[in-house]
Amino acid sequence: MTDMQYKVIVGLEIHVQLNTQSKLFCPCRLEFGAEPNSRTCPVCLGLPGSLPVINKKAVEYAALVGVALNCQIAQFTKWDRKSYYYPDLPKNYQISQYDLPLASGGFIEIPISNGKLKKVGITRAHLEEDAGKNLHSSANLTQVDLNRAGTPLLEIVTDPDMNSPQEVKTLAVELQQIVRYLGVSKADMQKGHMRFEPNVNLIVTKAGSQYKTPITEIKNLNSFRALEKSIDYEIKRQLDDFVRTGRVMKSGNKSTRGWDDVNETTVLQREKEEAHDYRYFPDPDLVPLRFTNAKLDEIRSCLCELPMAKKLRYIREYNLNEYDAGVLTTDRKTAEFYEQVLTYPKVDPKRACTVLTQEWMKLANKRRCRVYELGLTPKHLADESRMIDVGDITSTAAESVITTIVESGDAENKLFEKVAIDKNMLSKSDEGELEKLVDEALENNPQAVADVKSGGKKSKKARGFLMGQVMQKTKGSANPKVVSELLARKLR
Ligand code: ZN
Ligand code: MN
C-alpha cells in the first residue's frame, strides 16, 4: 500500500426542480403534498392524443441558470424522447434534451482552502420532466402518484473536475445558493428539489504506472451529507476493490450504485446502460426552440450579483471576515437587508454585521424566522449600530431595546432611539457620577491597580477587570467609552 497513491475524480449530475407555477408541458399546478393524482391531466397522465405545450417560464429559468453558470445558451434547442419503461411515467418516455441541450460549456467557481477559487466546468444544462412517484405503501402493493410527473427539472452536468468529497459538497451548496438567489428554485432538499448523482473513480499510481478504476454513478442522493458520505465510502471501496482484484476501467464496466443511508454504504444496482439503450429521438409533438438576441438580453438582465461574488465583495469592501461574509450572503434577502442598512449615514459595516449576525439572528432563530421577517427595518439596525458605536448605548442594553421593539408587534412604527429613552436604557455618560464609581473601584481593588500600573503581563487583564467592576455597578448602563477614558486618565 505504501508505494500506492491515488487521485479522486468526481463529476456531478444535479437535478434541480424549478419553481414554476405549473408543470413543464401542461397547466397542472406544482404542489407538494397534494392528494395523490389530484394534480394531473391527460398530458401528464400520458393519455393518447394529448399534446404537450412548453412552459415558457421554465425555459427562461433554465436559461437564466445557464447564464449564471457562464454557459453558452443554444440559439437552437430541441426536445427528445428518452425511452423509459416504469410505472411512474406512463407514456413510456421522458421528454428531455439529448444532443442539443439548452446550455453548455460553462463553469462555476468554488472556494477551496486558503481563500483560493477553483473553476469546475459545466458540461451542460438541459430541461426535462420529472417522473411520478411509486409509493410502496404495504408489503406487496405499489401505488403510483403522478402529481410529480411533468415537473420541470433542470439537469446540470459538471465536468469531472472535483477531487474530493468536500469539493463536491461545496459546489452543491453553492449551486443551491445560486438557484435560490435567482429565484428559480426553492432548492428545498427535504422536498427533493435537488437530487445529486456523483460519478466517481480513482486514478491510482502504483510502481510508476497509472490505473483508472471503473466509474460508478451513485444515484439519487438528496442531502449534502449523503453526497459527501457516499463519495467518501466509494473512494475506500474502489481502492479496496483495486487492491484485491486489479479491476480497471473498460468500456461498459461503468455501474450505478445506490446509497444505503442506514448502513452508510453504496450498493450495486446495475451495470450502466449506454445512451443507445434509451433510444433517444426528437419529440415530434414539440417544436424546437430558438432564442433571439433580444430574448437572451432580457434573460441576462435578470441576473443578480451571485452569492460568491457578493461574499468576496463584502470581505473586500466592508473588511468582514470570511465567516461573517458567508453568513450574510447565505440568502439573498438577508444580504439585501444588510446592504440597505449601509445606505444610512455613519453606519460601520462591521458593527452592523456583528449586531445582525449575532443579536438579530439569535432573536430570529428563537422565533423560527429569518432576520428580515422580524418586522424590523434596516433603519432599526442602522440606528442601533450607530448608537452602540458612539457609546450612547451598550450592546447589552441595545439587545433589550430591540427585543422590546420586536415584541411590541408594531416594530415598523417604533424608533430605536425613542424606545431606548423610554426604557431608560441610554448609557450613563455623566462624568461626575461615573467618576465616583471609578474611584470606588480603584479604592476597592488595590492589587488590580498595581497590576495595571506595573504595565506587565497582567496589566490588560486588570484593566478589563476594573472596567467590569464599574459596568457591574451601573448594571451595564454606563457608557463604556467614558468609563474607559476615566480609567485611563486615573491610571496614568
Ligand atoms: Zn398535467
Ligand atoms: Mn435526468
Side-chain angles (χ1 to χ4, degrees):
M1 283 288 278
T2 42
D3 62 332
M4 213 171 71
Q5 286 172 323
Y6 67 92
K7 187 176 179 187
V8 179
I9 309 287
V10 188
L12 190 61
E13 272 177 41
I14 310 110
H15 286 91
V16 180
Q17 179 177 322
L18 298 179
N19 184 26
T20 51
Q21 299 259 307
S22 54
K23 295 187 180 180
L24 188 50
F25 298 112
C26 64
C28 291
R29 292 188 78 79
L30 291 183
E31 227 176 303
F32 185 84
E35 189 192 334
N37 297 308
S38 62
R39 301 295 182 267
T40 54
C41 73
V43 173
C44 54
L45 288 175
L47 298 186
S50 63
L51 286 172
V53 177
I54 301 168
N55 182 331
K56 185 168 157 236
K57 200 85 209 166
V59 172
E60 288 169 355
Y61 280 179
L64 182 58
V65 176
V67 170
L69 297 179
N70 309 292
C71 291
Q72 293 283 323
I73 306 301
Q75 295 276 343
F76 179 87
T77 184
K78 66 175 176 65
W79 307 93
D80 300 285
R81 291 184 177 182
K82 180 181 183 181
S83 296
Y84 180 105
Y85 185 77
Y86 290 105
D88 55 7
L89 201 55
K91 60 186 188 293
N92 291 345
Y93 60 85
Q94 176 193 31
I95 304 176
S96 181
Q97 300 193 284
Y98 180 47
D99 52 342
L100 295 172
L102 196 138
S104 60
F107 65 87
I108 180 173
E109 284 182 311
I110 57 167
I112 50 171
S113 53
N114 54 42
K116 282 191 189 145
L117 293 178
K118 172 173 179 165
K119 250 185 202 180
V120 174
I122 301 293
T123 318
R124 58 184 283 162
H126 71 253
L127 268 173
E128 61 185 29
E129 58 180 338
D130 205 350
K133 254 185 201 163
N134 292 329
L135 307 169
H136 309 281
S137 46
S138 70
N140 43 22
L141 178 72
T142 294
Q143 295 170 303
V144 185
D145 176 10
L146 292 171
N147 281 352
R148 200 180 66 182
T151 295
L153 297 179
L154 182 64
E155 178 177 324
I156 301 167
V157 184
T158 80
D159 294 341
D161 289 345
M162 287 163 283
N163 304 109
S164 70
Q166 294 73 32
E167 281 183 15
V168 180
K169 187 193 166 194
T170 303
L171 182 134
V173 171
E174 192 176 324
L175 202 61
Q176 181 190 43
Q177 287 186 358
I178 289 174
V179 294
R180 283 179 173 168
Y181 261 61
L182 297 174
V184 302
S185 174
K186 290 196 177 131
D188 185 339
M189 311 290 288
Q190 248 115 48
K191 293 183 181 166
H193 292 172
M194 273 182 105
R195 274 124 58 192
F196 306 106
E197 301 183 337
N199 278 252
V200 185
N201 81 321
L202 310 174
I203 298 177
V204 183
T205 308
K206 191 182 163 191
S209 301
Q210 282 198 336
Y211 306 89
K212 290 180 182 168
T213 61
I215 296 177
T216 56
E217 178 172 334
I218 312 169
K219 299 300 280 183
N220 237 341
L221 303 166
N222 50 20
S223 75
F224 295 127
R225 187 177 176 276
L227 179 60
E228 204 176 3
K229 286 250 167 195
S230 65
I231 297 170
D232 229 6
Y233 176 85
E234 195 53 27
I235 292 168
K236 293 191 188 89
R237 192 198 63 79
Q238 289 191 16
L239 200 59
D240 185 57
D241 184 73
F242 176 77
V243 170
R244 280 189 305 110
T245 70
R247 218 187 325 263
V248 293
M249 186 199 293
K250 291 197 295 260
S251 118
N253 72 351
K254 178 173 171 176
S255 57
T256 58
R257 301 182 75 89
W259 174 240
D260 179 340
D261 225 353
V262 177
N263 296 308
E264 304 202 329
T265 57
T266 62
V267 185
L268 182 69
Q269 288 182 331
R270 55 194 147 97
E271 298 296 314
K272 177 80 176 173
E273 43 295 78
E274 302 280 334
H276 60 248
D277 293 329
Y278 290 124
R279 301 284 168 201
Y280 281 102
F281 72 94
D283 193 307
D285 288 342
L286 287 162
V287 287
L289 285 180
R290 282 168 213 278
F291 282 98
T292 60
N293 285 334
K295 187 73 202 173
L296 274 179
D297 286 345
E298 186 194 316
I299 288 165
R300 280 199 193 95
S301 72
C302 297
L303 204 57
C304 61
E305 185 180 32
L306 296 178
M308 172 66 57
K310 221 185 235 314
K311 181 174 156 185
L312 294 176
R313 181 168 67 80
Y314 283 14
I315 295 171
R316 200 174 58 235
E317 279 181 18
Y318 306 142
N319 210 8
L320 304 181
N321 64 39
E322 196 185 331
Y323 178 80
D324 285 341
V327 172
L328 288 177
T329 55
T330 296
D331 74 272
R332 185 174 168 180
K333 279 190 179 160
T334 301
E336 284 172 353
F337 189 97
Y338 175 69
E339 287 172 25
Q340 281 281 311
V341 174
L342 300 188
T343 61
Y344 288 88
K346 293 184 191 157
V347 176
D348 174 37
K350 265 184 148 166
R351 171 68 67 191
C353 164
T354 306
V355 175
L356 187 65
T357 57
Q358 291 177 17
E359 176 197 312
W360 285 34
M361 283 191 185
K362 199 169 71 190
L363 242 133
N365 281 345
K366 261 191 219 153
R367 291 166 177 263
R368 298 180 180 280
C369 69
R370 296 285 190 170
V371 273
Y372 50 81
E373 293 165 342
L374 282 166
L376 298 166
T377 62
K379 183 171 170 21
H380 283 122
L381 184 53
D383 289 343
E384 179 178 0
S385 304
R386 203 186 306 114
M387 284 178 68
I388 293 174
D389 264 342
V390 297
D392 282 349
I393 193 163
T394 63
S395 299
T396 321
E399 188 172 341
S400 147
V401 171
I402 274 298
T403 307
T404 304
I405 294 176
V406 171
E407 282 170 356
S408 76
D410 183 30
E412 241 178 284
N413 297 310
K414 298 265 189 293
L415 280 173
F416 183 85
E417 189 170 3
K418 171 102 177 26
V419 176
I421 292 168
D422 290 350
K423 276 181 62 115
N424 197 19
M425 283 291 193
L426 291 188
S427 295
K428 293 195 175 61
S429 303
D430 178 348
E431 283 213 29
E433 195 184 326
L434 290 177
E435 192 171 357
K436 248 188 264 164
L437 295 172
V438 169
D439 286 339
E440 244 177 75
L442 299 183
E443 233 173 79
N444 296 338
N445 300 285
Q447 186 55 51
V449 172
D451 285 346
V452 173
K453 285 193 170 159
S454 75
K457 264 190 193 162
K458 292 179 182 164
S459 158
K460 199 174 166 197
K461 207 175 159 195
R463 188 181 288 274
F465 171 78
L466 291 168
M467 178 97 186
Q469 292 296 305
V470 181
M471 295 307 286
Q472 227 174 48
K473 283 243 172 71
T474 62
K475 296 200 177 72
S477 70
N479 182 333
K481 238 184 177 169
V482 176
V483 177
S484 163
E485 277 162 16
L486 282 167
L487 276 172
R489 204 190 309 150
K490 289 183 183 277
L491 290 170
R492 236 191 319 248

